[in-house]
Amino acid sequence: MVVGIYSYYCERCQVLGMLIISVMYCFSESAIVFDEGKNYTSKKEIKNWIEKSSKEYNTVMKPIEFEGDAEKGSLKAEVFGTFPGSPVVLTYNLTFKGKHIESLKIN
């Protein structure tokens, strides 16, 4: 199930509009995201972060490797976009709460 959630998340990160809202269902109500020195601590903040990043950098994520279990996981993905240094390989460290992402830290 964990791999399914992450696969769903990765596929949806490549599309703007209504599908960004679909990504929000992957996050728990108390989710927190850590990215580029900033914390996003509500579903509204996370949604705004996803929309802004996707639109500003035209990001596309290509999953490379996932390791984890029902409590935590680590995804390596190649990320392409209009940002300096593209493409880059990023590591997404996650913790899960049930079927949802509870925390996401991007390195």
Side-chain angles (χ1 to χ4, degrees), residues 2-3 7 22 34 38-39 59-60 67 73 80 85 92 97:
V2 173
V3 174
S7 176
S22 297
F34 306 95
K38 296 181 184 175
N39 297 340
T59 55
V60 175
E67 293 182 15
F80 302 83
Y92 296 78
K97 182 178 183 179

Side-chain angles (χ1 to χ4, degrees), residues 13-80:
C13 282
Q14 297 178 33
V15 182
L16 296 177
M18 293 301 293
L19 291 180
I20 286 176
I21 294 169
S22 297
V23 172
M24 296 313 302
Y25 291 110
C26 295
F27 289 92
S28 71
E29 289 298 323
S30 57
I32 184 166
V33 171
F34 306 95
D35 183 35
E36 296 184 333
K38 296 181 184 175
N39 297 340
Y40 304 93
T41 58
S42 70
K43 285 188 100 166
K44 182 177 180 180
E45 284 186 5
I46 293 169
K47 178 181 178 286
N48 290 341
W49 163 73
I50 292 169
E51 287 178 335
K52 182 179 183 244
S53 296
S54 296
K55 288 178 184 176
E56 185 174 345
Y57 299 114
N58 299 307
T59 55
V60 175
M61 179 191 297
K62 178 182 172 188
I64 298 170
E65 174 183 37
F66 179 82
E67 293 182 15
D69 56 33
E71 295 180 9
K72 62 183 177 179
S74 177
L75 172 78
K76 286 191 179 185
E78 190 169 24
V79 180
F80 302 83

